[in-house]
Amino acid sequence: MSNESDNLVKKKVCMLGAFAVGKTSLVRRYVENMFSEKYQTTIGVKIDKKVLEIEGRKTVLVIWDLAGKDDIVDLRTSYLRGASGYFLVVDKTRTNTLQVAQDVQRAAQETLGNIPFIAVMNKWDLEGKWDMDEETIIDLRIKGWDVIKTSAKNNTGVEEAFMALGRKMIIPGK
Amino acid sequence: MKNTTLKKIFDVLDTVILERQSDGSFDIWKEAPVWFQILFASCMPVSSKLAISDETSFLGNFLIDAADYWNSGKDKQVLWSGAWEEILEPGENILMEAGAICLEGRDILIIRALFHTGEAYKEALQSAREEIIASDKLALLGRELEEYSDYLEREVHKRTLQVKKTLEGVIEAITVITEMRDPYTAGHQKRVDLLACAIARKMGLDNEKIESLRIAGALHDIGKIYVPAEILCKPGKLSDLEKALLQAHSQAGYDILKNIEFSWPIAEIVLQHHENMDGTGYPGGLAGDNILLKARILRVADVVESMASHRLYRPTLGSRNALEEIESNRGNPLRC
């Protein structure tokens, strides 16, 4: 008879995207249900864990929150090794963060192959400052991307995004 | 803490040195600090040993690269993992870095806490990124302002066209009303307008001046609204009183137009369009340069059009005769 820990599935999930798009805020909202307005840059990688149940299976998400990509910090693809899925986080108020997400997605695909990922349009609450139109999102969906609108601040779509990625990782084809 | 050397010493004190064993586990060289024992408790079967097997952990992932590095036999060069942060206990995180090095044939793993250097780096990076965000926001604001300015310009252009169209409609309506009362001169104002503009163009006047002439030409007889229709349509010679009533149309036109804010002195041009260069015209008896240039042009166009057209009191004199009249009076004060 197996004990509970034997049934635990461990999955590594990476948070990818440009800097200051809200990767850490999304993780913090999801793991601790907290949010801070103050921007705190991430150095290197921040590791968090969260246990969730997907289709009756207890799963430990090991969340790798990678420092945002910019001219100073580049993506170390060795950090992606072993990931079962990833989030591409885009700041809806900064159009250039979508380009970074697309570049990062290409790099991730080269390293990891076709593993599940979800594009997250974050800062959905800042409606007056949006710098992308709905057509951009439609284009991404046409490309085959799963896009979820989130706001770490308002706790919109955060749980839904993690659950969606969790399902895609646990149940292939979801 | 401002003293850099001291910071480095503190960082070194927070360093754990481990040696890889043949079974893949690590022996800890000196007693591990508390933070290390808390963080890796589940990977330490005894206090002096570390066994990492979970590749989803940061250290487990780094050890794959470290193993390649140790196996490559490189010496005296440290392979650094880059910084990573983990939760030490609720509300307290710790920033660390791991390094792999070969020393005298031993595979050494270094794990150090970046309490101080990490904070300094974080501050510098944060400040740099905040500057980038600020400049991005400024650029975005600039783009938005530029787009708004383009939008306003388009709107102004659109509204100007609408106003111009409305004005033209009003002028057209007034012209029609004026000429309805004197069907025998129907089209006169339009023809005067065309002639005046042609003269102005020939004289090299700019488009603005030509436009003002077009409007003045289309409205120059608006004052005839005040003249009884019997006088306007009378086939024979006019009495002095009738003539005086007819001549009052210049002043009447001025009175109608004087309060409309045109961009040009349309009312004044209309007032002066029967003035002659020698001062024999009406209503002011102005002469020479006291008459507006555009009123003078309008006067010539009015005379030529009248002579070339059929009137109730006389048949047409023909365009050729009208032009000859102008030609023969070139340089002389114009009388009509």
Side-chain angles (χ1 to χ4, degrees):
Chain A
M1 193 173 166
S2 61
N3 61 28
E4 198 177 317
S5 65
D6 289 338
N7 291 331
L8 275 180
V9 184
K10 213 174 231 184
K11 295 285 179 188
K12 174 177 169 181
V13 171
C14 292
M15 307 294 292
L16 308 176
F19 72 93
V21 291
K23 297 182 292 296
T24 306
S25 292
L26 285 167
V27 175
R28 194 156 185 233
R29 171 60 80 188
Y30 180 60
V31 176
E32 300 172 56
N33 196 22
M34 286 171 85
F35 176 79
S36 167
E37 288 277 2
K38 194 176 182 317
Y39 167 58
Q40 287 286 344
T41 195
T42 303
I43 306 237
V45 183
K46 190 169 178 289
I47 310 283
D48 264 292
K49 283 176 191 159
K50 169 106 174 176
V51 180
L52 72 161
E53 200 168 303
I54 302 165
E55 308 282 324
R57 269 187 257 186
K58 277 212 165 160
T59 308
V60 182
L61 288 188
V62 182
I63 305 166
W64 284 49
D65 176 12
L66 273 65
K69 187 181 177 303
D70 62 8
D71 293 340
I72 312 162
V73 178
D74 209 353
L75 177 71
R76 280 174 79 151
T77 48
S78 64
Y79 290 167
L80 303 178
R81 186 172 46 219
S84 302
Y86 57 93
F87 284 106
L88 292 169
V89 185
V90 177
D91 177 349
K92 200 164 187 303
T93 69
R94 286 157 59 212
T95 190
N96 62 317
T97 63
L98 177 62
Q99 187 55 54
V100 174
Q102 287 171 321
D103 294 345
V104 167
Q105 197 274 331
R106 271 191 290 276
Q109 189 154 21
E110 277 172 27
T111 310
L112 301 167
N114 285 321
I115 66 161
F117 74 92
I118 283 177
V120 166
M121 290 287 158
N122 199 30
K123 304 193 188 178
W124 202 260
D125 54 290
L126 301 176
E127 193 172 346
K129 296 178 182 171
W130 287 354
D131 196 21
M132 281 172 226
D133 52 23
E134 197 64 23
E135 277 179 26
T136 310
I137 296 171
I138 292 168
D139 286 346
L140 293 176
R141 288 190 169 131
I142 290 169
K143 244 171 82 171
W145 286 26
D146 268 352
V147 182
I148 293 182
K149 301 163 185 176
T150 59
S151 163
K153 185 179 178 180
N154 291 356
N155 198 10
T156 306
V158 181
E159 182 89 24
E160 183 195 344
F162 277 94
M163 279 305 286
L165 186 61
R167 271 194 218 100
K168 286 175 87 158
M169 291 187 303
I170 299 287
I171 310 151
K174 269 272 177 181
Chain B
M1 194 168 293
K2 286 184 179 172
N3 190 315
T4 313
T5 314
L6 270 180
K7 281 181 198 171
K8 282 179 183 167
I9 291 168
F10 276 116
D11 280 345
V12 169
L13 289 176
D14 284 315
T15 300
V16 184
I17 314 283
L18 307 99
E19 184 182 348
R20 185 166 76 141
Q21 303 303 302
S22 54
D23 63 356
S25 69
F26 292 86
D27 282 348
I28 302 171
W29 273 14
K30 66 177 175 90
E31 193 184 351
V34 178
W35 61 266
F36 188 88
Q37 291 179 34
I38 296 171
L39 207 57
F40 295 102
S42 63
C43 310
M44 293 171 71
V46 291
S47 63
S48 60
K49 219 164 185 61
L50 181 78
I52 301 273
S53 58
D54 180 7
E55 289 176 6
T56 64
S57 70
F58 186 90
L59 196 55
N61 185 68
F62 174 65
L63 287 178
I64 298 170
D65 295 326
D68 288 344
Y69 171 79
W70 286 318
N71 295 339
S72 74
K74 281 181 191 162
D75 204 7
K76 290 178 184 171
Q77 277 180 338
V78 184
L79 173 73
W80 291 108
S81 68
W84 93 98
E85 192 177 333
E86 293 206 34
I87 300 165
L88 196 56
E89 51 192 54
E92 196 182 337
N93 288 8
I94 183 165
L95 189 67
M96 296 162 284
E97 189 168 31
I101 188 169
C102 294
L103 280 178
E104 296 166 352
R106 295 168 164 189
D107 300 338
I108 304 297
L109 176 67
I110 306 161
I111 300 173
R112 59 178 183 172
L114 303 174
F115 291 125
H116 307 289
T117 48
E119 280 308 312
Y121 177 64
K122 193 170 185 167
E123 273 172 31
L125 187 61
Q126 173 126 358
S127 146
R129 285 179 160 176
E130 276 168 359
E131 268 176 36
I132 294 170
I133 293 171
S135 73
D136 277 358
K137 279 183 182 165
L138 215 59
L140 180 64
L141 195 67
R143 276 208 308 279
E144 282 174 355
L145 276 175
E146 211 169 287
E147 280 170 16
Y148 190 59
S149 155
D150 287 350
Y151 164 77
L152 284 181
E153 211 167 285
R154 283 196 302 277
E155 277 302 298
V156 167
H157 186 62
K158 208 164 87 186
R159 296 279 162 87
T160 307
L161 284 176
Q162 277 171 353
V163 169
K164 202 173 166 196
K165 212 171 156 190
T166 307
L167 180 67
E168 280 175 5
V170 171
I171 290 169
E172 181 77 24
I174 292 171
T175 308
V176 169
I177 292 166
T178 313
E179 294 186 342
M180 270 170 76
R181 304 185 67 248
D182 181 12
Y184 296 99
T185 58
H188 165 72
Q189 294 193 101
K190 183 71 198 162
R191 290 191 293 272
V192 169
D193 159 8
L194 290 172
L195 262 175
C197 289
I199 295 168
R201 218 168 280 125
K202 197 83 179 166
M203 288 171 72
L205 266 59
D206 61 37
N207 288 340
E208 275 282 295
K209 290 191 174 106
I210 293 171
E211 179 65 9
S212 67
L213 256 176
R214 200 181 65 74
I215 295 171
L219 294 171
H220 74 277
D221 276 342
I222 189 173
K224 283 186 177 173
I225 280 177
Y226 284 102
V227 182
E230 310 87 81
I231 297 175
L232 291 175
C233 302
K234 190 174 176 179
K237 202 178 172 194
L238 298 178
S239 68
D240 287 347
L241 178 64
E242 288 168 335
K243 201 183 271 181
L245 279 169
L246 182 65
Q247 289 183 348
H249 83 275
S250 301
Q251 182 64 50
Y254 171 79
D255 292 339
I256 292 168
L257 300 171
K258 67 181 178 192
N259 292 324
I260 300 176
E261 283 188 21
F262 289 106
S263 305
W264 313 280
I266 301 295
E268 283 76 10
I269 299 170
V270 169
L271 177 70
Q272 296 177 11
H273 83 276
H274 276 288
E275 299 287 359
N276 291 333
M277 290 295 281
D278 62 356
T280 58
Y282 61 86
L286 302 176
D289 289 344
N290 290 328
I291 309 166
L292 291 169
L293 175 66
K294 283 175 268 187
R296 280 184 257 158
I297 295 172
L298 199 56
R299 177 79 177 119
V300 172
D302 195 21
V303 169
V304 170
E305 201 288 325
S306 295
M307 289 174 74
S309 299
H310 179 79
R311 288 288 180 269
L312 276 175
Y313 49 87
R314 59 148 175 81
T316 173
L317 300 173
S319 318
R320 189 183 295 272
N321 283 334
L323 291 173
E324 276 173 8
E325 175 75 11
I326 296 295
E327 191 74 26
S328 65
N329 279 296
R330 178 187 275 182
N332 296 327
L334 182 70
R335 287 172 181 272
C336 291

